[in-house]
């Protein structure tokens, strides 16, 4: 019995000595260095690509900003001119729009060079 107690104490000492204690994550200093003076001066003036898909008089209309058209090729050419393609595009179809029209808008975003497209129904 005495030798078992010795072994337990030796194991306890071994684990205490070999254990590395880490600080909680909230106490770890950040390695990101931010120059607040430069960060406040650089505001993004780029607007995200948002395509609204609506149905008027049984005709599907696609709208980007002030441009409203039913021509998908025009939408693709507008999307190709966007500079901030890394932020992705957003397709917002109205509730009465057929799914095919929303899928065409998503395809137009992909053809316009956007790698990520989000589907955000309005209704």
């Amino acid at each position: 019995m005495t030798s078992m107690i010795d072994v337990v104490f030796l194991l306890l000492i071994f684990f205490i000595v070999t254990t590395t204690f880490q600080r909680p994550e909230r106490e770890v200093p950040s390695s990101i260095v931010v120059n607040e003076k430069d960060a406040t001066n650089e505001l993004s003036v780029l607007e995200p690509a948002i395509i609204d898909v609506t149905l008027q008089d049984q005709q599907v209309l696609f709208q980007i900003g002030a441009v409203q058209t039913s021509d998908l090729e025009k939408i693709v050419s507008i999307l190709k001119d966007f500079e901030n393609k890394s932020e992705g595009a957003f397709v917002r179809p109205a509730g009465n729009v057929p799914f095919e029209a929303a899928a065409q808008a998503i395809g137009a975003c992909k053809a316009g060079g956007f790698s990520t497209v989000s589907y955000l129904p309005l209704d």
Side-chain angles (χ1 to χ4, degrees):
M1 186 71 175
T2 307
S3 62
M4 191 166 91
I5 293 174
D6 290 342
V7 169
V8 169
F9 279 126
L10 283 174
L11 286 174
L12 182 66
I13 291 171
F14 173 77
F15 287 122
I16 289 175
V17 170
T18 60
T19 302
T20 58
F21 296 101
Q22 295 180 355
R23 293 189 290 177
E25 189 174 337
R26 66 177 179 266
E27 294 178 6
V28 176
S30 175
S31 62
I32 300 173
V33 179
V34 177
N35 188 349
E36 292 181 18
K37 182 180 177 184
D38 291 340
T40 56
N41 291 338
E42 294 181 18
L43 296 175
S44 176
V45 295
L46 300 176
E47 294 184 15
I50 300 174
I51 297 95
D52 292 322
V53 185
T54 57
L55 189 65
Q56 292 180 356
D57 299 329
Q58 299 303 320
Q59 183 180 10
V60 176
L61 295 175
F62 305 98
Q63 180 175 353
I64 299 178
V67 177
Q68 187 174 23
T69 183
S70 61
D71 183 21
L72 275 174
E73 293 304 318
K74 186 172 183 180
I75 297 296
V76 171
S77 67
I78 292 171
L79 289 171
K80 285 182 180 179
D81 293 337
F82 269 77
E83 294 178 14
N84 56 340
K85 291 186 176 154
S86 63
E87 293 180 10
F90 301 94
V91 175
R92 299 188 313 183
N96 60 349
V97 172
F99 179 75
E100 179 184 355
Q104 288 173 342
I106 292 171
C109 293
K110 293 288 187 178
F114 288 90
S115 59
T116 57
V117 181
S118 299
Y119 179 83
L120 305 167
L122 289 175
D123 298 330

